[in-house]
Amino acid sequence: MTARVGVVTFPGTLDDRDTQRAVRAAGAEAVPLWHRDKDLHQVDAVVLPGGFSYGDYLRAGAISRFSPVMETVIEQARAGMPVLGICNGFQVLTETHLLPGAMLRNNHLHFICRDQKLRVENATTAWTTDYAPGQEISIPLKNIDGRYVADERTLDMLEAEGRVAFRYVTDGPSGDGYGNPNGSLRDIAGITNEAGNVVGLMPHPEHAVEPLIGTGRTDGLGFFTSILKKLVNA
Amino acid sequence: MARVVVDVMLKPEILDPQGQAVQRALPRLGFEGIADVRQGKRFELEVEGPVDDAALARIHEMAETFLANTVIEDFTVRVDEAVRAES
Amino acid sequence: MARVVVDVMLKPEILDPQGQAVQRALPRLGFEGIADVRQGKRFELEVEGPVDDAALARIHEMAETFLANTVIEDFTVRVDEAVRAES
Amino acid sequence: MSLDTVKHAAGTPDAGQPWAELGLKEDEYARIREILGRRPTGAELAMYSVMWSEHCSYKSSKVHLKQFGEKAPENDALLVGIGENAGVVDVGQGYAVTFKVESHNHPSYIEPYQGAATGVGGIVRDILAMGARPVAVMDPLRFGAADHPDTKRVLPGVVAGIGGYGNCLGLPNIGGEVVFDPCYQGNPLVNALCVGVMKHEDIHLAKASGAGNKVILYGARTGGDGIGGVSVLASETFDDSKPTKRPAVQVGDPFQEKLLIECTLEIFREKLVAGIQDLGGAGLSCATSELASAGSGGMRVELDTVPLRDSSLSPEEILMSESQERMCAIVEPDKVDRFLEICEKWDVIATVIGEVTDGSRLEIFWHGEQIVDVPPRSVAHEGPTYHRPYARPDWQDALQADDAGKLPRPANAAELRAQVLQLVGSPNQASKAWITDQYDRFVQGNTVLAQPEDSGMVRIDEDTNLGVAVATDGNGRYAKLDPYAGAQLALAEAYRNVAATGARPLAISDCLNFGSPEDPAVMWQFAEATRGLADGCQTLGTPVTGGNVSLYNQTGDVAIHPTPVVAVLGVIDDVTRRTPVGFAEEGQLLYLLGDTREELGGSAWSQVVHDHLGGLPPQVDLERERLLAEILISASRDGMVDAAHDLSDGGLVQALVESCLHGGKGARVVVPDDLDPFVFLFSESAGRAVVAVPRSEELRFTDMCGARGLPVTRIGVVDGDELAVQGQFDIPLDELRTAHEATVPGLIA
Ligand SMILES: Nc1ncnc2c1ncn2[C@@H]1O[C@H](COP(=O)(O)OP(=O)(O)O)[C@@H](O)[C@H]1O
Ligand SMILES: [Mg+2]
């Protein structure tokens, strides 16, 4: 029996089908979940994919956070179920307060789409064990509300507890995907909760799982193989 | 320093998708009785020097040419008395 | 129908690049003397029924849980007396 | 308030009507009266006026567009041709692809963000209406002078609008154009293209048949968008107490459109519609009359059932409203419930507003009273046709005689080097990454190639790796010098771009952007360009599947350059064989394919260095283009080339710089003995490409070219980190990169 990974579709979600493809590429079963349905259909983990749920109106993730499916996701996440929020999914996770901080408009105020270099700072979360600590990966970034902010105390706590899971790599030419693309505080690209089961990040691992498509790199596949291993070994 | 507030709202006849999305979400969150929601922008300007008629006229012009897109938006300019009193 | 206005602004300690971009552009457009600009959101809610304390309390809660993200934003709720008077 | 009913109109034949204010000519109004045998009601007048407008009826252009059908090449691939919302092409393996390019020029000048956004929204609905899932968008754009203050208003707004809408829909943007020229000041061109994919059996058509079938309007509520013009009518027919403010600007709601897409695709999957049409220009007037006209019977609509955003709208205004994100479907009665259920699932408002009748009239009612009773064909398909006078302008000879060959050329190697840097940093040749990085090119996870590649390419089948490629091109400068050749050069360039990535060109769509058809000189340009395009498509074997005409792009008497924009669609059986533009492997050999002549008329060099436009554009040899394409496609399929880049504006040197920068490798280049270095680098002869060939493939590749008779010249090797032209100059890649990439951000900031 393989692992069942749920992929939530909110109205306006865009990357649900790509995320399902990435889940399958890693060898797990992808289970579509609908925002109005509280039932998680016995999935072992959930991905909240990217997109513009509810058009990103009001604030990115603000409206979807109140959907029925999220009631169950929040409950299960607190009980330890692995949850990954990608881009809009990360924004939803901050709005639910499963992850601290908030996402604001990029400091240059534009949408940015590029291949982004990040460093995996925490390779012990449910979603990152297939990476080496400190490993640099390159995956697509595409958003307009990608600037991570939190107050100093929260930031210090995240650092102290090793909960900055991914950081933008800044020491290289920006044409090659280096640099902080949006003004995120402390170059934070993604974070984890204390238990390591809930992870959110802005760049899109699901767009980097096949050679030739997108950037032609497969650096994102590790997210999905990590969770598969964890669930199968559990 | 005095504060001048410029409120910019979509003209009433212009579609406001954001306001609409907010309004549609409210009943689901248990808030009934809101017949309409419009979402606009609020600018708080900290003005150096006196906020006299000349200054307000300039801010009005600024709002008209820059802060608001008068093809689709209306705006209002007013002095924030609370802040003026404090300062 | 009465109108209630909810103003939502980023907390002072949070960087506001939109406000900054506006402020930086002003001198180029010939507007001097604006020391700071912050940009926020303004919501106009058309409320059915009386806007009594209970209604305002509910709107306050709505602002706190939904219209504003209090991790980064402050908000104020007030009745738009102009509209109330008219109706 | 008095409702102008059919009965009332019949009884008041002499009531004055504002036909002139609505843009109708006297004889057109007379013809409407003749068709109806009475004066039209206000609602009927509104419908005819908007449907008979240039924009909807193509009255000035259709006599010329006919050639696209008459000269259409024999082509089995064409499944649906001109006339539907978009053409459909067979790409094999049971798949069909639909694509179309459309303009949203005038609205984008008034309100750049919303104009461009709703341009994307409109073309996406056209594609959706064919039964296809939209899979990519492109945006050919033209602005006034790069340093003009108004360009700083228009360009960022347009780009943000295209990105804001397209990104939110989840459609990868895989290419386009950005051109600056003072001729577009006041008339920016915002063209938008969408590509969609479906299985053959899923093709849907816009027709209403089957008496008793229901007419369902679904999507956004109807508001007063885009009906500034018809308010004349409303204010004449109705008393003055109602609000008269009607926005001419349409505002887009991409979130609503995304729901509309998903909802419609689910409806298609369950085979619930008998006919479908999007609502675009002319809103319900267009959708109801076109559906009824293409179908077998009549249609009856209860207009007061239309869900409104603004309850004060008059029936005329509801008919005219161009509110976005709406569709109209014809559904069999027993499928209506399921249809509405799916709409509910996606939070999409859906309303039965009428039904198909066994009559022959389009009948519209307002609270029980009949306000429209017309033969639908007379509204939708039998509008006026003009044979506008056209004449070759008297300045054309002088323009062509003003040969760019006589312009002063760089006197020495140092000047040549400086002009290379000037060229690649000029606004038109500079990198557009600042713009294209604001577009999501990865979404949907099928993008194989996107900007800055020669064509955008998406995979359409994950198992077989079948893919399609699209490129759009246009060159108003060439077309100004010779509109016939200019249209063919646009076609040739887009065709070549598709082939350069390894895809086989199949069909085209076009957007014809011109000045006023009432000016005989402009009409001549239009006639020449359409003739050139039709002839060119016949030679290349690529049918025109559909497109769009945008006229009146002029300020006062001054028209834009004639600007036919051509989009070529190609197919590639295995996307893993695609060819990118970047030089990535040191040591690979560089070959120039095709003939280089001294051709500088309309060139980027003449514009950038001398601000000059004159002479003749490059010669067109479509047979040569065809041969070049065959070679590029074979070489790509058989792994003989690792990179390819077509040559167009800016000539060889521009292509070399782009390929070096994109691949991150330099090149050492030798000028062939028989060519002047300046001509070698800057000439814009058509029918050429540069390719990088692995050494192991050299013989096979040159043999193939030799055997097929394609001129091929070895010009150098991929090497180092500079562009070195032997005996002339070396320019480090960093210096090129700065020149190429700093320009556009610098213009906007
Ligand atoms: N507005 C735009 N949107 C998307 N892509 C664009 C846009 N403008 C230019 N591009 C892309 O940038 C690249 C270079 O453009 P261009 O020099 O016009 O190409 P070419 O001359 O080969 O037709 C192409 O891949 C093109 O698709
Ligand atoms: Mg090209």
Side-chain angles (χ1 to χ4, degrees), chain D residues 20 103 131 154 164 278 281 392 409 517 569 662 698:
Chain D
S103 69
V154 178
D278 60 299
R392 188 173 198 269
R409 302 184 182 184
L569 173 90
H662 197 48
E698 182 176 17

Side-chain angles (χ1 to χ4, degrees), chain A residues 9-11 34-36 54, chain D residues 259 262-263 266 269-270 338-349:
Chain A
T9 301
F10 300 106
W34 182 239
H35 69 112
R36 280 193 201 167
Y54 290 96
Chain D
L259 298 183
E262 297 302 330
C263 170
E266 194 163 330
R269 269 199 300 280
E270 298 196 17
R338 181 61 192 142
F339 186 104
L340 298 179
E341 226 171 80
I342 294 176
C343 289
E344 200 277 331
K345 171 181 168 189
W346 288 101
D347 292 322
V348 168
I349 299 171

Side-chain angles (χ1 to χ4, degrees), chain D residues 589-628:
Chain D
L589 302 168
L590 296 177
Y591 278 92
L592 175 61
L593 310 181
D595 288 310
T596 304
R597 291 174 292 268
E598 181 177 317
E599 295 185 293
L600 298 164
S603 66
W605 173 81
S606 69
Q607 181 181 34
V608 171
V609 177
H610 296 287
D611 191 18
H612 176 270
L613 176 58
L616 289 172
Q619 286 174 37
V620 189
D621 177 349
L622 295 172
E623 290 303 342
R624 168 58 63 78
E625 297 286 355
R626 219 177 155 129
L627 175 61
L628 174 68

Side-chain angles (χ1 to χ4, degrees), chain D residues 147-234:
Chain D
D147 55 2
H148 191 287
D150 200 44
T151 302
K152 283 195 177 49
R153 170 186 74 97
V154 178
L155 184 147
V158 165
V159 169
I162 288 169
Y165 205 96
N167 294 340
C168 188
L169 287 190
L171 294 179
N173 184 310
I174 59 169
E177 298 169 83
V178 180
V179 176
F180 300 94
D181 193 293
C183 78
Y184 303 113
Q185 204 72 60
N187 293 281
L189 303 186
V190 174
N191 295 174
L193 174 145
C194 182
V195 196
V197 176
M198 67 200 126
K199 288 289 196 171
H200 286 192
E201 61 272 20
D202 293 331
I203 297 175
H204 280 74
L205 300 179
K207 62 171 200 241
S209 329
N213 285 349
K214 300 297 177 192
V215 180
I216 301 183
L217 178 67
Y218 67 110
R221 289 173 183 277
T222 298
D225 310 66
I227 53 174
V230 236
S231 303
V232 199
L233 197 72

Side-chain angles (χ1 to χ4, degrees), chain D residues 192-543:
Chain D
L193 174 145
C194 182
V195 196
V197 176
M198 67 200 126
K199 288 289 196 171
H200 286 192
E201 61 272 20
D202 293 331
I203 297 175
H204 280 74
L205 300 179
K207 62 171 200 241
S209 329
N213 285 349
K214 300 297 177 192
V215 180
I216 301 183
L217 178 67
Y218 67 110
R221 289 173 183 277
T222 298
D225 310 66
I227 53 174
V230 236
S231 303
V232 199
L233 197 72
S235 60
E236 296 224 350
T237 325
F238 293 83
D239 64 52
D240 289 332
S241 63
K242 62 201 288 298
T244 48
K245 267 199 204 156
R246 297 296 186 223
V249 177
Q250 307 143 25
V251 173
D253 179 354
F255 170 57
Q256 176 73 55
E257 180 115 330
K258 169 68 177 171
L259 298 183
L260 203 56
I261 292 174
E262 297 302 330
C263 170
T264 303
L265 290 172
E266 194 163 330
I267 285 163
F268 287 152
R269 269 199 300 280
E270 298 196 17
K271 310 218 176 304
L272 299 178
V273 298
I276 188 161
Q277 167 78 302
D278 60 299
L279 272 72
L284 267 173
S285 295
C286 178
T288 54
S289 63
E290 287 193 355
L291 280 165
S293 173
S296 49
M299 185 185 287
R300 178 189 166 104
V301 172
E302 313 293 336
L303 200 60
D304 46 289
T305 57
V306 170
L308 300 181
R309 203 170 81 222
D310 170 357
S311 59
S312 74
L313 290 180
S314 70
E316 289 89 343
E317 290 174 321
I318 296 169
L319 279 171
M320 279 327 78
S321 162
E322 298 194 345
S323 285
Q324 302 290 299
E325 293 98 19
R326 297 179 300 162
M327 305 275 287
C328 193
I330 306 297
V331 182
E332 289 169 20
D334 60 336
K335 294 181 173 162
V336 168
D337 285 346
R338 181 61 192 142
F339 186 104
L340 298 179
E341 226 171 80
I342 294 176
C343 289
E344 200 277 331
K345 171 181 168 189
W346 288 101
D347 292 322
V348 168
I349 299 171
T351 315
V352 176
I353 62 164
E355 66 179 36
V356 179
T357 63
D358 53 12
S360 60
R361 315 277 291 184
L362 171 59
E363 300 175 80
I364 300 181
F365 293 80
W366 180 251
H367 295 291
E369 299 205 65
Q370 185 164 25
I371 54 169
V372 171
D373 180 12
V374 296
R377 277 201 75 76
S378 72
V379 178
H381 292 110
E382 288 161 357
T385 300
Y386 291 168
H387 293 261
R388 299 238 190 229
Y390 56 89
R392 188 173 198 269
D394 46 18
W395 43 259
Q396 197 77 34
D397 285 341
L399 183 69
Q400 293 187 343
D402 180 17
D403 183 8
K406 62 171 203 288
L407 297 168
R409 302 184 182 184
N412 50 46
E415 269 185 46
L416 189 64
R417 183 185 194 279
Q419 290 188 0
V420 168
L421 285 165
Q422 192 185 349
L423 180 88
V424 302
S426 66
N428 283 336
Q429 325 309 319
S431 165
K432 303 303 183 311
W434 185 87
I435 290 167
T436 58
D437 281 358
Q438 297 181 47
Y439 303 150
D440 185 345
R441 58 185 176 275
F442 298 118
V443 66
Q444 294 199 2
N446 284 313
T447 306
V448 180
L449 296 175
Q451 53 275 18
E453 299 288 350
D454 276 345
S455 63
M457 186 181 287
V458 290
R459 174 178 68 180
I460 64 174
D461 188 298
E462 286 177 40
D463 298 320
T464 66
N465 280 330
L466 181 67
V468 294
V470 186
T472 75
D473 281 295
N475 187 321
R477 285 167 56 82
Y478 290 166
K480 174 91 183 235
L481 299 179
D482 180 345
Y484 182 91
Q488 294 199 337
L489 284 162
L491 168 67
E493 186 180 345
Y495 182 92
R496 200 187 310 134
N497 272 313
V498 165
T501 55
R504 184 161 41 84
L506 281 184
I508 80 150
S509 174
D510 63 275
C511 191
L512 304 172
N513 306 278
F514 288 76
S516 167
E518 294 161 37
D519 176 347
V522 169
M523 219 39 226
W524 174 80
Q525 293 173 330
F526 185 82
E528 283 293 288
T530 42
R531 190 169 65 84
L533 193 54
D535 289 349
C537 285
Q538 196 167 31
T539 309
L540 289 178
T542 49

Side-chain angles (χ1 to χ4, degrees), chain D residues 570-699:
Chain D
V571 62
I572 180 164
D573 293 332
D574 178 359
V575 294
T576 63
R577 311 307 312 182
R578 93 280 176 267
T579 308
V581 298
F583 298 156
E585 295 295 329
E586 299 247 353
Q588 294 196 339
L589 302 168
L590 296 177
Y591 278 92
L592 175 61
L593 310 181
D595 288 310
T596 304
R597 291 174 292 268
E598 181 177 317
E599 295 185 293
L600 298 164
S603 66
W605 173 81
S606 69
Q607 181 181 34
V608 171
V609 177
H610 296 287
D611 191 18
H612 176 270
L613 176 58
L616 289 172
Q619 286 174 37
V620 189
D621 177 349
L622 295 172
E623 290 303 342
R624 168 58 63 78
E625 297 286 355
R626 219 177 155 129
L627 175 61
L628 174 68
E630 280 169 18
I631 297 279
L632 288 168
I633 296 161
S634 304
S636 154
R637 189 189 49 227
D638 297 341
M640 287 183 255
V641 297
D642 274 7
H645 198 357
D646 86 298
L647 270 53
S648 58
D649 45 339
L652 175 67
V653 75
Q654 176 73 20
L656 289 173
V657 168
E658 288 173 358
S659 289
C660 286
L661 292 180
H662 197 48
K665 294 280 184 298
R668 261 190 298 119
V669 174
V670 183
V671 182
D673 292 340
D674 57 343
L675 277 177
D676 168 63
F678 165 77
V679 170
F680 174 64
L681 293 173
F682 286 97
S683 165
E684 296 188 2
S685 295
R688 298 184 302 161
V690 59
V691 293
V693 181
R695 285 184 188 268
S696 58
E697 301 298 326
E698 182 176 17
L699 262 183

